[in-house]
Amino acid sequence: EPSHPGSIPPFHYGSHYSSAGIVLYFLLRLEPFTTEAIRLQGGRFDVPDRLFRCVPSTFASCLSDSSDVKELIPELFTTPACLRNQAALPLGRTQAGQPVGDVLLPPWAKGSPEAFVRLHRDALESDHVSAHLHLWIDLIFGWRQRGRPAEQALNVFYYLTYEGAVDLEALDPTQRGAVEAQIANFGQTPSQLLNRPHPRRRPRG
């Protein structure tokens, strides 16, 4: 809770795991997302160093940078084309001089977007992930989404991302427009569906 009226409640993450910007980041190489990404950046592609260009470096960033909490999107488990620059988009070169084209993949994919998607999906559907899926549900939809349990799980996001955090009807048009833009561009936490721990998935028989 805020320490006094008008203050912003404390949070762990100023960015969000699910937003339109993250979808455009991952799907930059596919239309209509290419056009939308250019529109978001005022008519041009973002700086090459900020584009999705390498799976291992993106993964490492999410593990080490608390401001980078991207959640994987379904296409990374289903759509190899999102990893190829089939349209030869002019994505530029990084500060190190490396051209940005196809997305660089982990060694185990052996340079194949099809292999990456297949193995990535196999991992998602594995017994290990199934055995821990309830923990993710607790954080995103369940009892660890809000309040003291969320604090203990280091799972608190900027207050405007939460449903019902602001009464939009009570705001003047300018304030309401700013808040709605914040929600649209930076993400919104789903509705909390559960208030007790989700049961672990039963082992496959």
Side-chain angles (χ1 to χ4, degrees), residues 130-142:
S130 292
H132 295 84
L133 186 60
H134 62 292
L135 302 176
W136 175 81
I137 293 172
D138 288 341
L139 292 171
I140 305 302
F141 300 102

Side-chain angles (χ1 to χ4, degrees), residues 29 52-53 83-86 89 91-92 98-104:
R29 292 163 178 80
F52 179 42
R53 56 191 174 81
L83 301 168
R84 287 195 179 96
N85 187 16
Q86 292 178 309
L89 302 170
L91 302 178
Q98 297 297 319
V100 180
D102 294 343
V103 177
L104 300 177

Side-chain angles (χ1 to χ4, degrees), residues 37-69:
I38 292 172
R39 181 178 292 122
L40 182 66
Q41 295 299 325
R44 59 185 179 181
F45 289 111
D46 198 1
V47 176
D49 287 270
R50 290 202 295 256
L51 299 178
F52 179 42
R53 56 191 174 81
C54 176
V55 170
S57 64
T58 298
F59 181 69
S61 176
C62 290
L63 288 181
S64 61
D65 185 350
S66 62
S67 68
D68 187 354
V69 292

Side-chain angles (χ1 to χ4, degrees), residues 52 54-57 59-60 72 76-78 83 103-124:
F52 179 42
C54 176
V55 170
S57 64
F59 181 69
L72 297 175
L76 291 173
F77 301 91
T78 62
L83 301 168
V103 177
L104 300 177
L105 303 174
W108 46 263
K110 298 181 179 179
S112 168
E114 287 77 15
F116 174 84
V117 165
R118 175 175 53 81
L119 293 170
H120 207 206
R121 187 169 60 248
D122 287 347
L124 180 67

